[in-house]
Amino acid sequence: MLQKKNMSFWGIVRFCSLVVFVFGIFSAFGFYKSLETTASKSQKYPFDYLPTSTTNQIIKHNYFTLSYNEKYEQAEWVAYELKKAYVKNSNFNRPYFIEDPKVKTGSADWRNYKKSGYDKGHLCPAGDMEFAINAYNDTFFTSNISPQTHDFNGGVWNRLEQKVRYWATKYDGVYVITAGVLQPNLKTIGQEEVLVPNYFYKILLDNSNGQYKMIAFLIPNSKSDKPLYEFVVSVDSIEKMTGIDFFPKLDDKTENSLEKNSDYKA
């Protein structure tokens, strides 16, 4: 009789433990879903902020959009909103880079980078998407990378990415457009001849109750210890280099005023 009671008791304990475990899983899942839903509802920058595409191959993922250039096997721009709520540190495991299933012409195979001497440099940083695992994983599509020298990727480019996250927290979110400057007759790597840009740009837009601020950076794909403000240029100058109109839906007066500015302090 005592043995049966003990078995019944431990059965109840095991059942309760299972309930707690399952509840914990669903609670964690609900937390991340809630975070994603909250973030998506507070849309500060509509898709009207997207640049023009010179290739007409615009790919929309859940948290960033890109224009893929098949000729150079990478994005000519990646655009996304970096919200204050996105700036997290989740320590997710890094997945393998894979081809982007949404690119109809096929994004470059990661093997093009193997033994090339260049890093698989993120355009939309994985560190900007650590608020949810699916957002983080999407940054590992090969449509979101470009050949970067190691000292550039881990040095001045990384410093700029960290500064952008600081600004996103300070200004309650910023809009980011970034990529390499794609020009003919540059070095390529791999069988698919992935272009190695000489320069990378990053353009930031802040909209605080209709008050706009804009800043652009143009940085050589090489090691540099220079302060970031030395790389500030006008958006106009990057548009001339790329042939891209970065903010076609902004009213002309605002756009013209902002895109001529190259004042870091402003």
Side-chain angles (χ1 to χ4, degrees):
M1 194 71 176
L2 179 62
Q3 185 179 7
K4 287 185 179 180
K5 286 183 178 180
N6 286 339
M7 289 176 63
S8 176
F9 171 76
W10 288 113
I12 292 171
V13 169
R14 284 194 293 270
F15 175 76
C16 291
S17 299
L18 179 62
V19 170
V20 170
F21 175 74
V22 172
F23 179 77
I25 290 177
F26 278 97
S27 295
F29 177 76
F31 169 77
Y32 282 111
K33 293 299 290 183
S34 175
L35 179 57
E36 290 182 68
T37 301
T38 301
S40 63
K41 283 182 178 178
S42 59
Q43 197 74 3
K44 188 177 178 183
Y45 301 94
F47 282 116
D48 282 352
Y49 283 89
L50 290 178
T52 58
S53 171
T54 69
T55 66
N56 295 317
Q57 189 171 193
I58 293 180
I59 310 299
K60 292 185 178 181
H61 291 290
N62 287 334
Y63 298 98
F64 65 88
T65 303
L66 62 93
S67 173
Y68 196 77
N69 189 311
E70 177 62 26
K71 180 180 179 181
Y72 299 126
E73 289 290 5
Q74 61 199 280
E76 63 177 352
W77 53 258
V78 175
Y80 61 100
E81 182 181 357
L82 180 56
K83 301 176 184 178
K84 183 177 181 179
Y86 287 2
V87 182
K88 304 281 183 182
N89 186 4
S90 299
N91 294 317
F92 293 134
N93 291 327
R94 290 173 67 91
Y96 292 107
F97 286 92
I98 60 172
E99 293 181 38
D100 190 334
K102 292 189 175 184
V103 176
K104 293 181 180 179
T105 56
S107 63
D109 192 298
W110 67 268
R111 293 174 184 84
N112 289 286
Y113 291 78
K114 194 173 182 179
K115 297 181 180 179
S116 69
Y118 291 90
D119 287 1
K120 297 182 282 288
H122 279 83
L123 298 176
C124 174
D128 286 0
M129 295 285 143
E130 289 195 32
F131 62 92
I133 187 63
N134 67 324
Y136 180 81
N137 287 343
D138 281 356
T139 68
F140 287 84
F141 288 131
T142 57
S143 58
N144 183 48
I145 60 174
S146 180
Q148 296 180 344
T149 65
H150 181 71
D151 289 336
F152 169 82
N153 184 29
V156 63
W157 193 243
N158 180 55
R159 282 195 284 129
L160 180 55
E161 290 174 343
Q162 292 184 41
K163 189 68 173 180
V164 171
R165 286 192 276 274
Y166 165 77
W167 278 327
T169 302
K170 182 177 180 179
Y171 296 110
D172 194 23
V174 293
Y175 191 76
V176 185
I177 304 173
T178 186
V181 177
L182 308 184
Q183 297 173 317
N185 304 318
L186 296 181
K187 180 179 178 179
T188 62
I189 59 171
Q191 292 185 350
E192 294 178 274
E193 298 184 340
V194 181
L195 187 85
V196 180
N198 283 342
Y199 295 89
F200 284 84
Y201 68 85
K202 199 178 291 287
I203 302 169
L204 309 176
L205 176 72
D206 175 58
N207 175 16
S208 298
N209 299 318
Q211 298 297 313
Y212 290 95
K213 286 184 289 188
M214 187 182 294
I215 192 169
F217 298 84
L218 183 68
I219 308 179
N221 188 9
S222 59
K223 181 179 179 179
S224 178
D225 295 321
K226 293 180 179 179
L228 293 175
Y229 66 78
E230 291 198 19
F231 299 105
V232 174
V233 298
S234 68
V235 175
D236 276 341
S237 65
I238 301 177
E239 289 186 333
K240 290 175 182 176
M241 294 177 73
T242 60
I244 298 167
D245 184 357
F246 288 105
F247 297 100
K249 296 296 179 70
L250 276 180
D251 69 85
D252 291 341
K253 183 178 179 181
T254 302
E255 181 184 11
N256 292 335
S257 173
L258 291 170
E259 291 184 354
K260 290 177 182 177
N261 180 49
S262 59
D263 184 356
Y264 182 84
K265 292 182 178 180

